[in-house]
Amino acid sequence: MSLLSGPDMVIHMGNHQASLDGVFYALSDATRRAVIHRLGKGPATVSELSKPFDMALPSFMKHLRVLEEHDLIRSTKTGRLRTCRVNPKRLHAAESWMAEQRALWEARSDRLENLVTALYQEEKSR
């Protein structure tokens, strides 16, 4: 049960939805998903991350900025090296939302299966 109700609940849901929108927007690009996948193995420098991609560094940096703007990755600069790390909390938020949706649709599918089975049994018994 939520501790929020009324307008507070709507504001919280709106903020949560906007937050998820940003996560899914950032993950909508294959390059950015590949960066997240790579960072799942551990931190990496920008040059390490950009190596597999056939694009200029400024173009690649735009992808990193999107990921950072939506808090999916964080970076630190030491001297001339910028090292990126994944922010698992943001990924967990998206994962939780998808798990909720999966549970909802599985329950609907189970109810439909039960209905079809009941109708079949009823028709069979006639």
Side-chain angles (χ1 to χ4, degrees):
M1 185 167 141
S2 175
L3 299 176
L4 301 175
S5 62
D8 291 336
M9 178 66 144
V10 172
I11 290 169
H12 175 72
M13 288 176 66
N15 291 341
H16 182 68
Q17 187 63 42
S19 176
L20 279 176
D21 288 350
V23 169
F24 286 120
Y25 166 73
L27 294 174
S28 69
D29 181 85
T31 299
R32 295 191 290 263
R33 287 191 307 272
V35 168
I36 293 293
H37 183 265
R38 165 53 191 87
L39 291 175
K41 298 174 184 175
T45 64
V46 170
S47 61
E48 290 171 334
L49 291 171
S50 67
K51 200 173 274 186
F53 301 101
D54 186 27
M55 67 178 74
L57 188 58
S59 297
F60 183 75
M61 291 301 293
K62 288 180 183 180
H63 288 289
L64 293 184
R65 274 194 289 284
V66 169
L67 291 169
E68 280 191 293
E69 285 171 6
H70 295 288
D71 203 25
L72 287 165
I73 67 169
R74 296 190 175 144
S75 66
T76 55
K77 192 170 183 180
T78 306
R80 296 181 61 179
L81 289 179
R82 180 167 296 279
T83 302
C84 299
R85 289 169 178 72
V86 73
N87 178 7
K89 288 182 182 180
R90 296 293 285 155
L91 292 173
H92 291 308
E95 183 181 20
S96 293
W97 183 85
M98 288 187 286
E100 289 171 11
Q101 298 305 306
R102 185 181 313 113
L104 175 77
W105 284 100
E106 285 175 353
R108 288 177 178 171
S109 177
D110 290 346
R111 286 193 305 271
L112 178 60
E113 180 182 10
N114 291 340
L115 174 64
V116 169
T117 300
L119 290 173
Y120 174 75
Q121 293 299 331
E122 182 180 309
E123 185 68 29
K124 194 172 149 183
S125 67
R126 287 185 186 180

